[in-house]
Amino acid sequence: MSTPGPLSSSRAPLMPEIPQGEIVSTYDRYEDAKHAVDVLARASFPVQRISIVGNDVRSVERVTGRLTYGRIALMGALSGAYLGLFLGLLLFIFQPDNAGIFGVFIAAVVIGAGFGMLFGVLSYAMNRNRRDFSSVMQMVATRYDLIVEPDLLHEARRILVESAQK
C-alpha cells in the first residue's frame, strides 16, 4: 500500500496502481477475503490501510441462452417500454393537471415498446450470423491476497489467528 504524502488527500489515486505492502493471508474465494476484512474491522483494525488484490485474473463468459427473434423482440420491447415509461413520467411532471395524462402515459409506454422491439429485431437481423447466444462476462481471480502496510502486518495476523481459533 502506498502511504499518502503530505500533499495528497485521502481520496483514491487518479491512476490505478497495485498496492504495496505485505501479504497477511491468501484466499481462494473473494467472499473469504471479504470475511477476513470484516473480522479485522470488528476488531477496530484500520481497514482503510488494507487492500484485497485478485491475482491471475481471467475473463469468464457464461452463456445464458440462445438468441431468437422472439427473445430479441421481447428484450427490445421491455427496454423500449422503460424509455416510454420515463418519457411518460416527464410528461406527467410537466403537465400534471392534464385530464388525459393517463392515456398519454400509456401511449408513451406502448410506443416506446414498439420502437424498442423494432430496433432490437432490426439490429439482430443485421448481425444475425455473428452471435446467436446471450452471455454475461465476468472477471474472476484464482486467488485473493490481503495486503497491509508492513507496520500493521503482525497485528492483522494476530487478529485473524485469534478469530480462527474461536
Side-chain angles (χ1 to χ4, degrees), residues 1-2 16-20 53 147:
M1 273 184 123
S2 62
E17 54 186 50
I18 304 275
Q20 301 297 313
V53 178
I147 296 183

Side-chain angles (χ1 to χ4, degrees), residues 88 90-107:
L90 284 178
L91 288 172
F92 179 73
I93 289 171
F94 293 113
Q95 288 289 345
D97 56 347
N98 188 348
I101 194 67
F102 186 71
V104 172
F105 185 74
I106 295 297

Side-chain angles (χ1 to χ4, degrees), residues 98-160:
N98 188 348
I101 194 67
F102 186 71
V104 172
F105 185 74
I106 295 297
V109 171
V110 171
I111 291 170
F115 276 111
M117 184 185 309
L118 178 68
F119 289 133
V121 168
L122 286 175
S123 173
Y124 180 65
M126 290 189 318
N127 297 319
R128 176 84 166 101
N129 292 330
R130 292 189 195 152
R131 189 173 173 116
D132 283 335
F133 62 92
S134 61
S135 62
V136 175
M137 183 74 74
Q138 295 176 312
M139 299 301 283
V140 180
T142 57
R143 109 177 167 266
Y144 298 90
D145 293 335
L146 225 61
I147 296 183
V148 70
E149 294 175 11
D151 57 325
L152 296 172
L153 177 67
H154 296 296
E155 182 185 355
R157 283 188 178 157
R158 179 188 58 78
I159 292 169
L160 290 174

Side-chain angles (χ1 to χ4, degrees), residues 19-31:
Q20 301 297 313
E22 299 292 326
I23 296 175
V24 176
S25 54
T26 300
Y27 302 94
D28 292 330
R29 297 175 351 138
Y30 176 74
E31 289 78 20

